[in-house]
């Protein structure tokens, strides 16, 4: 395919239909909403202003981000707060031509503060239903366990969430990766499998390739979140390619959390060249400087070897890697093909 001008490539990246498969809803909590919810819930914000809070968003690694991220999430108390949070994300996602979103949520962050499981899940599910009705986005929820807590706590969380089983499609694993290998959660993921839930896990973000192997072998996950460190293990890459295990890669996140020194140093081109089923995602857009289209545009600008063909591949991979029904995937791929056909090279 011949290359497009920068402007036309940007327009294509913005307009193409896409799925987002790695977005933590708590990571879409913008400072303005933190302040609004703090006021509504009678809480004193930890920072004097939105500007001061934003200025604190300079992270040395994953843990330094998580400390601020969990503090921000502490303003979420009521069902309406969770609805408002998710609705704001879905409006942003629709503007980015996201047609399908699989959204992570961290119930333990909230239940540990006494928030009822019902308020969390019902609030998020209500926003997801409305996103479908009013924005045309198909939205699904994935319940994530905090890996710095125990497996017993994860098992208890899953049992607490079961009355709301109809509202989520899968289980994930997030939070501090180093020192918390996937196999720590083998039993709770096995229970999720029995329940017919899809399974994903963060692995190979800061942790070694062995954590990716463990997520596949101990947890039987269907996708790896991040997974960028797989390239350190060529045999693992071969396996991920052969088994067509998707990686949900988050470039702006990787730079903000110092997994890579800059976007220009990101290994996305090498992951694509290896034949991996890579998707692009925003992770925690309120903290990392951008939503999904910001990730696409900044990454393509920093890596000139990425062009129209890679844009198509990434969008197509996002549908293939999703847990949506085959008929929906086929329809979105047709819409993607139409979008590319009308943007002739
Ligand atoms: N929770 C929110 N964002 C995360 C990330 N990038 N890694 C692990 N846990 C997270
Ligand atoms: Zn993540």
């Amino acid at each position: 395919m011949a290359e497009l001008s920068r402007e036309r490539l940007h327009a294509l990246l913005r307009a193409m239909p896409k799925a987002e498969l790695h977005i933590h809803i708590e990571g879409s909590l913008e400072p303005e909403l933190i302040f609004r919810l703090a006021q509504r819930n009678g809480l004193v914000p930890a920072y004097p202003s939105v500007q001061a809070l934003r200025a604190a968003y300079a992270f040395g690694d994953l843990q330094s981000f998580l400390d601020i991220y969990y503090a921000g999430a502490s303003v979420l108390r009521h069902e309406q707060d969770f609805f408002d949070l998710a609705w704001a994300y879905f409006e942003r996602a629709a503007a980015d031509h996201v047609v399908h979103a699989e959204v992570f949520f961290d119930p333990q962050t909230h239940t540990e503060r006494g928030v009822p499981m019902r308020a969390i899940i019902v609030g998020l599910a209500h926003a997801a239903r409305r996103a479908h009705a009013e924005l045309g986005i198909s939205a699904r929820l994935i319940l994530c366990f905090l890996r710095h807590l125990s497996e017993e706590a994860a098992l208890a969380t899953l049992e607490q969430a079961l009355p709301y089983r109809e509202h989520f499609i899968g289980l994930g694993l997030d939070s501090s990766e180093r020192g918390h290998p996937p196999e720590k959660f083998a039993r709770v993921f096995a229970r999720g499998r029995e329940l017919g839930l899809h399974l994903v896990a963060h692995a190979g973000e800061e942790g070694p390739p062995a954590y990716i192997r463990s997520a596949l072998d101990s947890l039987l996950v269907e996708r790896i979140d991040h997974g960028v460190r797989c390239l350190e293990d060529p045999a693992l890459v071969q396996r991920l390619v052969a088994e067509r295990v998707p990686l949900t890669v988050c470039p702006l996140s990787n730079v903000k959390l110092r997994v890579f020194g800059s976007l220009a140093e990101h290994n996305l081109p090498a992951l694509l060249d290896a034949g991996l089923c890579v998707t692009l995602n925003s992770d925690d857009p309120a903290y990392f400087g951008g939503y999904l289209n910001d990730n696409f545009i900044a990454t393509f600008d920093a890596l000139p070897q990425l062009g129209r063909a890679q844009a198509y591949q990434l969008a197509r991979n996002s549908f293939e890697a999703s847990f949506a029904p085959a008929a929906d995937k086929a329809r979105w791929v047709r819409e993607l093909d139409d979008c590319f056909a009308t943007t002739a090279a």
Side-chain angles (χ1 to χ4, degrees):
M1 281 192 248
E3 267 324 311
L4 301 171
S5 67
R6 271 294 107 185
E7 292 69 32
R8 293 188 72 205
L9 180 60
H10 285 184
L12 183 61
L13 292 170
R14 286 201 183 91
M16 66 184 187
K18 51 186 81 72
E20 176 145 63
L21 307 178
H22 185 160
I23 158 79
H24 301 262
I25 202 63
E26 295 89 350
S28 72
L29 180 54
E30 292 285 348
E32 290 78 5
L33 187 54
I34 291 181
F35 274 77
R36 228 178 320 130
L37 294 180
Q39 193 173 37
R40 189 160 93 187
N41 293 332
L43 304 165
V44 179
Y47 292 85
S49 66
V50 164
Q51 291 74 14
L53 177 55
R54 249 186 230 289
Y57 292 179
F59 314 115
D61 60 7
L62 175 58
Q63 191 59 51
S64 64
F65 156 68
L66 290 170
D67 294 341
I68 286 192
Y69 162 85
Y70 294 131
S74 68
V75 298
L76 295 159
R77 299 286 162 110
H78 306 291
E79 182 182 321
Q80 185 67 42
D81 304 342
F82 290 91
F83 173 87
D84 291 347
L85 170 67
W87 182 251
Y89 164 70
F90 290 129
E91 286 193 311
R92 295 292 300 254
D96 281 358
H97 293 111
V98 170
V99 295
H100 177 72
E102 295 178 7
V103 175
F104 296 147
F105 68 108
D106 286 340
Q108 288 161 295
T109 305
H110 314 295
T111 53
E112 282 206 326
R113 293 182 284 105
V115 178
M117 184 67 83
R118 183 184 186 287
I120 304 165
I121 299 185
V122 170
L124 297 175
H126 179 194
R129 259 197 325 278
R130 196 163 144 196
H132 189 241
E134 294 184 21
L135 303 171
I137 295 185
S138 110
R140 298 288 179 268
L141 299 174
I142 294 180
L143 183 161
C144 290
F145 301 117
L146 300 181
R147 68 202 304 159
H148 66 272
L149 301 178
S150 68
E151 187 180 46
E152 281 62 38
L155 283 161
T157 298
L158 179 54
E159 293 310 314
Q160 257 183 293
L162 283 187
Y164 314 101
R165 165 72 183 83
E166 76 205 80
H167 295 305
F168 57 97
I169 61 159
L171 300 180
L173 185 64
D174 62 11
S175 187
S176 324
E177 187 180 8
R178 286 200 193 108
H180 301 286
E183 62 267 22
K184 180 176 158 187
F185 295 92
R187 284 181 307 152
V188 72
F189 272 65
R191 173 90 177 106
R193 236 168 102 80
E194 281 170 11
L195 291 164
L197 288 159
H198 289 290
L199 304 176
V200 300
H202 283 53
E205 177 186 19
E206 282 190 344
Y211 282 23
I212 300 175
R213 289 181 181 280
S214 172
L216 296 172
D217 295 331
S218 313
L219 306 186
L220 304 179
V221 298
E222 297 158 82
R223 284 196 308 246
I224 298 288
D225 296 312
H226 295 293
V228 290
R229 287 193 59 191
C230 71
L231 289 187
E232 294 167 31
D233 181 343
L236 173 61
V237 172
Q238 262 187 6
R239 175 180 176 187
L240 293 168
V241 171
E243 296 177 12
R244 201 113 185 106
V245 179
L247 305 183
T248 62
V249 172
C250 309
L252 286 176
S253 163
N254 292 154
V255 172
K256 290 285 183 197
L257 302 187
R258 315 246 183 122
V259 175
F260 295 97
S262 68
L263 280 178
E265 295 163 76
H266 200 284
N267 67 4
L268 177 69
L271 295 170
L272 284 167
D273 286 349
L276 289 156
C277 182
V278 186
T279 69
L280 277 207
N281 305 273
S282 68
D283 205 7
D284 300 287
Y287 291 90
F288 299 150
Y291 286 76
L292 187 49
N293 283 359
D294 302 313
N295 270 271
F296 269 99
I297 287 170
T299 305
F300 276 62
D301 279 354
L303 294 161
Q305 61 271 56
L306 301 179
R308 178 184 158 95
Q310 290 75 20
Y312 180 84
Q313 190 67 54
L314 288 165
R316 193 176 171 121
N317 289 350
S318 75
F319 299 131
E320 177 188 336
S322 77
F323 297 133
D328 288 342
K329 293 186 187 194
R331 177 164 46 81
W332 295 323
V333 170
R334 279 197 304 276
E335 289 169 11
L336 179 66
D337 288 344
D338 288 347
C339 175
F340 273 71
T342 56
T343 312

